[in-house]
Every structure is written in C-alpha cells, then in structure tokens.
Amino acid sequence: MAEGDNRSTNLLAAETASLEEQLQGWGEVMLMADKVLRWERAWFPPAIVGVVSLVFLTTEQQQRFHEICSNLVKTRRRAVGWWKRLFTLKEEKPKMYFMTMIISLAAVAWVGQQVHNLLLTYLIVTFLLLLPGLNQHGIISKYIGMAKREINKLLKQKEKKHE
C-alpha cells in the first residue's frame, strides 16, 4: 500500500511541477486572484459582484450593439433599394421619373426659399436624431399608414371619376 501512495504522490508532484512551469508567467496574477477569491480584504466581495455584473452588462450591451448594427444594415439596404427603384423608374418610365424629380426638387427649393437655412438645418438634424425613437415607438409606421390610406382613397375617387 505504501508503494501505491508513493507512486500517487510522485505523480501529483510531477503534475504540479509541470503546471507550475506552464503557468510561470501568471504567478502574480494567480496569487492576486487567490487573495480576491478568499476575500482577504473587505472590499473584495463587492468588487467580485461588480465585475460579474459588468461582464453580464457588457453582454447585454454587446447584444444591443448587434441590434444597432443590424438596423444600420437594414437602413442601408432600404436606401440602396430606393436608389435602385429610382434608377429603374428612370429606365422604364422616363416621363414619370422626370415629373417625380421636378416635383421633388421644386418642393425642396420652395421649402429652402421659405425657411431660413439655419432653421432648416436645425429641423433636419433634429428630425434625423429623433428618427430612431420615432421608429421604435411606431410613430412613423402610424403616420405612413395614415398617408397610405389617404392616397388609396384619392386613387379610388380618381378611378370612380374615370368610370
């Protein structure tokens, strides 16, 4: 039995020596971690809780960061889609494209003429900064839906007049 104990002790000593060699550069860090985990100072428990909370909070922030990046990609795709539709309209229906561009540019020019540049810049920047919140709370969807219903009503009235 003593021979088995000796052998086990020798294996343990050899494994310990090997691990010590592998962790040679981490000695100071491990000693400090041991002190923290054994609460050698009164402020170590709150520090542990704070670090663990920060790690979990970072994970939550990482998920939110992922959502923000995903929303940016979706917005970019929408903008590219509108841009492609505009050029498709230009190729397929040049007269409609021309009229749309003339009306849009005239509207922008009129607004630019009526509103002072600084106020206009302020309104545009404010709107762009409020846009994510408006979208998040469904306000944009609500008003776009109302506009679509009104446009559909106008189109139906126009169809009735032509019949």
Side-chain angles (χ1 to χ4, degrees):
M1 194 66 130
E3 196 175 302
D5 287 343
N6 255 352
R7 189 169 167 218
S8 177
T9 303
N10 289 342
L11 280 174
L12 179 63
E15 286 180 36
T16 303
S18 173
L19 185 61
E20 283 178 359
E21 186 178 320
Q22 290 173 359
L23 297 175
Q24 188 62 40
W26 291 90
E28 291 296 319
V29 173
M30 290 181 69
L31 289 172
M32 186 60 187
D34 181 61
K35 289 179 182 179
V36 170
L37 293 175
R38 289 188 294 115
W39 301 1
E40 287 191 5
R41 301 228 172 131
W43 59 271
F44 284 164
I48 292 171
V49 171
V51 168
V52 169
S53 299
L54 182 64
V55 167
F56 278 91
L57 179 65
T58 305
T59 304
E60 183 179 315
Q61 288 176 346
Q62 184 65 28
Q63 176 148 356
R64 183 65 189 134
F65 178 70
H66 176 74
E67 290 172 9
I68 290 169
C69 290
S70 176
N71 287 338
L72 286 173
V73 167
K74 289 175 187 174
T75 302
R76 183 177 54 102
R77 283 184 176 179
R78 278 190 212 123
V80 168
W82 278 101
W83 191 255
K84 286 180 180 178
R85 281 189 209 108
L86 186 64
F87 279 100
T88 302
L89 182 64
K90 182 180 180 182
E91 303 246 337
E92 293 176 0
K93 298 180 180 180
K95 290 179 183 176
M96 177 65 104
Y97 169 79
F98 180 73
M99 288 305 296
T100 303
M101 294 310 295
I102 292 295
I103 291 170
S104 299
L105 292 174
V108 169
W110 181 78
V111 169
Q113 182 66 28
Q114 299 298 320
V115 182
H116 189 273
N117 287 342
L118 186 59
L119 177 61
L120 189 59
T121 303
Y122 167 77
L123 292 174
I124 291 170
V125 169
T126 301
F127 175 75
L128 290 175
L129 291 176
L130 291 175
L131 192 60
L134 292 170
N135 192 29
Q136 176 72 26
H137 292 283
I139 296 169
I140 291 175
S141 300
K142 175 183 171 185
Y143 286 105
I144 287 177
M146 288 171 51
K148 284 180 181 179
R149 284 190 298 274
E150 291 300 318
I151 290 171
N152 286 336
K153 284 180 188 176
L154 292 173
L155 291 175
K156 285 180 184 177
Q157 288 176 356
K158 185 178 179 181
E159 287 177 5
K160 287 180 182 177
K161 286 182 183 179
H162 286 295
E163 291 177 356

